[in-house]
Amino acid sequence: MLYKLQFTFYYIRRTIFFNCTGLTSVNIPDGVVSIGLSAFENCQSLTNAEIPESVTEIGLWAFNKCQDLTASYKGKTYDYKHINDLYKAINGN
């Protein structure tokens, strides 16, 4: 299932999609600056996440247990095995 978010917001709050087993892909709109703690945790069907350059903060475990995930950020692709590299790229540490 694809959820297309078509309204203006700046933050994806913590646990908002936690355990959403039907979620397969997410394209986060430009302008979002923060993805909250465990926002997509345990979304086991999630295979694709497009994250815009506007995101400058991502909470711990945002994509925890999304083993089939491939995420794109600033022209780079991160698979689940390297998800901590994505967190470092966004948070800068």
Side-chain angles (χ1 to χ4, degrees):
M1 181 180 310
L2 173 64
Y3 289 93
K4 187 167 182 172
L5 305 173
Q6 297 183 348
F7 47 89
T8 302
F9 61 96
Y10 303 100
Y11 305 96
I12 297 175
R13 78 168 179 82
R14 59 188 273 164
T15 68
I16 192 163
F17 293 104
F18 179 84
N19 208 28
C20 184
T21 57
L23 186 63
T24 59
S25 182
V26 63
N27 188 344
I28 298 169
D30 193 36
V32 170
V33 296
S34 179
I35 300 171
L37 173 86
S38 300
F40 298 95
E41 183 173 0
N42 208 35
C43 294
Q44 294 182 6
S45 298
L46 185 60
T47 58
N48 181 57
E50 300 290 329
I51 303 169
E53 291 187 26
S54 59
V55 173
T56 58
E57 180 182 46
I58 188 168
L60 288 174
W61 309 299
F63 293 102
N64 192 37
K65 298 181 183 175
C66 300
Q67 287 92 351
D68 296 325
L69 178 68
T70 299
S72 298
Y73 177 71
K74 288 189 174 181
K76 287 190 172 183
T77 302
Y78 302 86
D79 61 13
Y80 184 73
K81 185 173 161 183
H82 298 99
I83 203 71
N84 286 332
D85 294 334
L86 171 66
Y87 296 167
K88 289 176 188 174
I90 293 173
N91 291 330
N93 52 0

